[in-house]
Amino acid sequence: MDICLAAVTYAWPWVDLIARFKFQQQAGWSHALATLMMSTPWAEDILDKADLVLPIPLSAQRLAFRGYNQSWELAKQLSPSKADVQMLLRTRDTPSQRQLPRHERLANLVDAFAVEPLRAGQLRGKRVVLVDDVMTTGASLHMAARVLRQAGAVHVSALVLARTE
């Protein structure tokens, strides 16, 4: 990953708000949270230069449980014309990453992401921004960026709502 920008530190009061947004079906927060993300220095710049804005995908099981992908809700608000929910895929469900150290998170995510095979050629030479709600160790973003680079993306940045310390 070339650069990762975070709007806020994952601490009070953001922890509670993000939990409501992510786990309590309060997708209506996406506009306000994306506005906060846009206020991050250089966020507008990386979004303007991007060819694609991709959310970190959820597994089918997690998507069914939550009812929506919070990262997709943010990506649509950040860049409606560049946001694409079908380019980067989650190939399998993985155990929750919450309590795992970075090396276990990375191992947990091996082969968990893939580029949509029929569209992989569209990434060649492109600049991509990955969007996620919370970055802890960066394992998900790292593994997703690796898959995008293997498909030919020349620049992969990330924009996250919150970053743990």
Side-chain angles (χ1 to χ4, degrees):
M1 191 167 19
D2 294 293
I3 187 172
C4 180
L5 304 175
V8 297
T9 300
Y10 190 61
W12 187 88
W14 307 111
V15 172
D16 296 335
L17 181 58
I18 292 168
R20 283 195 295 246
F21 171 57
K22 188 172 181 174
F23 300 116
Q24 296 175 9
Q25 289 73 45
Q26 294 187 16
W29 281 105
S30 64
H31 179 74
L33 295 174
T35 300
L36 178 64
M37 293 169 77
M38 287 294 286
S39 71
T40 304
W42 304 292
E44 283 188 59
D45 188 47
I46 66 167
L47 289 166
D48 286 345
K49 290 178 181 173
D51 297 298
L52 292 164
V53 176
L54 308 178
I56 292 294
L58 294 178
S59 68
Q61 295 91 328
R62 200 154 290 140
L63 183 60
F65 178 75
R66 288 194 191 150
Y68 59 90
N69 177 344
Q70 70 282 354
S71 298
W72 171 236
E73 297 301 318
L74 293 170
K76 288 189 297 188
Q77 296 289 332
L78 290 166
S79 187
S81 64
K82 297 176 184 179
D84 187 335
V85 73
Q86 297 174 338
M87 179 64 80
L88 182 62
L89 308 173
R90 188 72 172 236
T91 58
R92 62 182 175 84
D93 191 29
T94 54
S96 174
Q97 300 275 86
R98 279 187 175 166
Q99 305 302 323
L100 300 178
R102 188 169 200 273
H103 71 279
E104 288 181 36
R105 287 173 182 240
L106 287 168
N108 196 24
L109 292 167
V110 170
D111 298 326
F113 299 107
V115 170
E116 162 50 57
L118 299 176
R119 298 182 60 208
Q122 295 173 21
L123 281 168
R124 192 157 283 106
K126 301 295 186 203
R127 299 175 71 84
V128 177
V129 174
L130 288 168
V131 175
D132 207 358
D133 57 338
V134 178
M135 177 182 167
T136 304
T137 65
S140 295
L141 292 165
H142 172 78
M143 296 304 269
R146 191 159 94 179
V147 165
L148 294 168
R149 284 218 187 261
Q150 288 169 348
V154 294
H155 192 274
V156 180
S157 301
L159 179 57
V160 299
L161 173 58
R163 169 81 165 96
T164 60
E165 290 190 37

